[in-house]
Amino acid sequence: LSRAASESHRGTAPRTVSVLGATGSIGSSTLDLLSRNRDAYQVEVLSAHSRVAALIKAAKIHRPAVAVIGRNDLYSELKDGLSGTGIEVVSGEDALIEAASRPVDITVGGIVGAAGLKPSLAAAKHSKVLALANKECLVCAGDLFNAELKKSGASLIPVDSEHSAIFQVLDANRPERIERLMLTASGGPFWQWSYADMEDVTPEQAVAHPKWSMGAKISVDSASMMNKGLEVIEAYHLFPVRPDQIEVVIHPQSVVHSMVEYCDGSVLAQMGNPDMRTPISLALAWPDRMPTPVKRLDFASLSDLSFAPPDLTRFPCLRLAGEALRNGGAFPTLLNAANEIAVQAFLDKTIGFLDIARVVEDCMSKGCAQILRTLDEVMEVDAEVRLSAQSVINCMKRTCVAMPQSVQQG
Ligand code: NAD
Ligand code: MG
């Protein structure tokens, strides 16, 4: 099969690829696959926000037409670093959106957070395939994405491993035969911890994921299980199911990447070792597959694959995401914005780990189910909630400073 797949690439013109967020974890795995398949792909755009040295290095290897750095103050450094290469160098958010609008065969959306919304939406308009890892886009503006994809005719291929798994085993032609989607979750580093013990978790402990190597934000989201909550909302926008048909199952080994259950009781699962190069490669090669160096599963040594229900009391973020999906309207946008601000504050050691859910819950209690019809409306809610989350955090800080130590510990 692998030989047939690689042969089908031969003799055809290389496919053009833009990689948004090229210096991140998804971006680096994408570039690793592209460097193993040099004849099949030609890089059009590489973007990064602040890691200019890594962007220069990647651009020298992959020779894109354009290199984009998000931060304007790093423009000169990028320009100097790429002088004499013939690579166009641009900076800033508008330049990123413009670069993401270049017509290409595939755009890999590997930016983290709602910052990826506008560029990914531009790619949905102008790329043939949008290989989307940036789940926050679908969480805050899933309906807008689907409307845009319908208009442009572009295909959205999920890169998130659970959604890639479902994409591979779901029969989209017969949605009425699907009973449940089961998203597996490793449970993160604290899935067996008591709630009280999680109060003192440090950012270093939270980002040390037991199974996946990922960027800081998604690692914290995995530890709080907000990541699975965001993925439930992501699945709702990607697949033809109702919210009550999406379930979460804890599966610490991360071998079964997700499952679809049909009306006859059959459950189809996609499996593999946890390595993002598998789902990324599928999105790059789709509708074909490409060979990857991913370690193969050794079934003889897979003696214990375990499954358990999630605990919404110890992991309130998962409950809050479910509520946001069921409430609809602006709630998922709000949940995402509040979470992004709270996670950053946790990484900056301004608030504690369990405060992340407290900030999100506080913001959600002030939310409304108003339907967001335009990108401007989404951006407006996103900006308002960021301010509101920041003031909740400031309030927490003040209370913390004002409270005597004995009260805090009690
Ligand atoms: P990361 O932090 O490693 O990389 C993020 C990338 O986004 C970097 O290239 C950075 O330069 C860019 N970026 C950051 N802020 C930006 C801004 N304001 N404007 C433009 N670009 C900006 O993150 P990651 O782990 O690669 O995750 C990227 C996305 O993929 C996230 O949405 C995450 O949830 C999703 N995802 C990641 C994994 C994984 O294994 N890493 C798995 C599934 C889904
Ligand atoms: Mg995932």
Side-chain angles (χ1 to χ4, degrees):
L1 200 73
S2 323
R3 200 173 306 123
S6 64
E7 242 133 50
S8 75
H9 282 300
R10 262 178 228 144
T12 52
R15 297 170 80 193
T16 48
V17 189
S18 291
V19 186
L20 310 180
T23 52
S25 160
I26 291 289
S28 313
S29 295
T30 304
L31 295 182
D32 175 75
L33 290 166
L34 294 178
S35 42
R36 293 167 193 274
N37 292 275
R38 287 201 176 277
D39 297 345
Y41 298 96
Q42 186 184 324
V43 179
E44 181 72 16
V45 178
L46 289 183
S47 92
H49 189 59
S50 53
R51 280 177 230 155
V52 67
L55 180 60
I56 292 169
K57 190 171 169 207
K60 283 185 173 162
I61 298 171
H62 293 275
R63 298 279 165 167
V66 192
V68 191
I69 187 82
R71 274 176 44 188
N72 284 317
D73 58 314
L74 296 172
Y75 172 81
S76 317
E77 205 174 327
L78 181 62
K79 182 91 188 148
D80 292 348
L82 293 180
S83 72
T85 60
I87 298 168
E88 190 184 335
V89 171
V90 292
S91 72
E93 196 193 354
D94 290 343
L96 172 60
I97 297 166
E98 207 173 298
S101 306
R102 288 178 166 238
V104 284
D105 291 311
I106 308 161
T107 296
V108 177
I111 294 174
V112 60
L117 188 50
K118 287 184 184 171
S120 305
L121 209 47
K125 288 182 196 170
H126 301 283
S127 296
K128 289 186 191 146
V129 169
L130 174 58
L132 194 63
N134 189 187
K135 67 193 85 184
E136 294 90 344
C137 293
L138 289 179
V139 172
C140 30
D143 291 339
L144 290 183
F145 263 85
N146 281 330
E148 207 50 71
L149 293 162
K150 206 169 167 189
K151 243 193 277 173
S152 69
S155 304
L156 196 166
I157 312 296
V159 166
D160 216 346
S161 58
E162 297 76 2
H163 306 74
S164 175
I166 293 172
F167 177 74
Q168 293 176 63
V169 296
L170 180 123
D171 185 354
N173 293 323
R174 291 182 188 78
E176 70 284 3
R177 301 296 183 226
I178 300 164
E179 217 151 84
R180 283 190 293 172
L181 306 186
M182 286 172 277
L183 295 181
T184 52
S186 72
F190 312 128
W191 85 280
Q192 286 179 310
W193 288 37
S194 74
Y195 187 76
D197 285 346
M198 281 190 265
E199 194 80 69
D200 298 323
V201 154
T202 63
E204 292 74 19
Q205 286 172 305
V207 298
H209 195 277
K211 288 287 164 192
W212 298 93
S213 152
M214 309 180 287
K217 194 261 177 182
I218 183 178
S219 298
V220 175
D221 283 347
S222 298
S224 70
M225 291 209 66
M226 179 58 94
N227 182 49
K228 211 48 54 180
L230 299 177
E231 289 184 356
V232 168
I233 304 176
E234 181 185 13
Y236 169 74
H237 288 293
L238 285 170
F239 306 115
V241 289
R242 299 181 309 273
D244 62 284
Q245 289 176 288
I246 309 170
E247 286 179 18
V248 172
V249 187
I250 304 290
H251 168 49
Q253 298 80 16
S254 298
V255 165
V256 174
H257 297 310
S258 277
M259 300 170 266
V260 177
E261 184 183 64
Y262 289 92
C263 61
D264 58 359
S266 286
V267 175
L268 301 194
Q270 184 263 348
M271 302 165 86
N273 269 313
D275 186 324
M276 285 308 291
R277 288 177 299 181
T278 296
I280 297 170
S281 73
L282 186 80
L284 287 174
W286 184 83
D288 201 345
R289 288 182 186 264
M290 64 160 81
T292 74
V294 170
K295 190 168 172 256
R296 279 14 185 188
L297 276 183
D298 170 18
F299 280 87
S301 67
L302 281 182
S303 55
D304 69 333
L305 290 187
S306 53
F307 301 89
D311 182 341
L312 302 189
T313 310
R314 281 185 302 128
F315 295 96
C317 286
L318 186 55
R319 167 180 59 79
L320 290 167
E323 286 172 18
L325 175 59
R326 283 189 298 277
N327 292 345
F331 277 99
T333 313
L334 190 162
L335 171 98
N336 180 67
N339 182 58
E340 284 193 31
I341 293 294
V343 169
Q344 193 54 56
F346 168 66
L347 287 170
D348 294 341
K349 304 197 173 178
T350 308
I351 60 172
F353 181 67
L354 295 178
D355 291 331
I356 296 172
R358 294 179 186 129
V359 172
V360 175
E361 185 140 33
D362 193 318
C363 291
M364 281 200 31
S365 69
K366 300 169 201 143
C368 73
Q370 163 211 355
I371 295 187
L372 306 177
R373 296 188 197 283
T374 63
L375 183 60
D376 285 346
E377 287 176 6
V378 170
M379 296 313 293
E380 207 174 300
V381 169
D382 179 81
E384 273 170 21
V385 177
R386 281 168 196 269
L387 289 177
S388 149
Q390 198 53 61
S391 66
V392 175
I393 290 166
N394 293 343
C395 223
M396 279 175 165
K397 269 180 358 199
R398 272 199 299 277
T399 323
C400 217
V401 171
M403 239 192 263
Q405 199 67 25
S406 57
V407 177
Q408 280 183 49
Q409 283 164 357

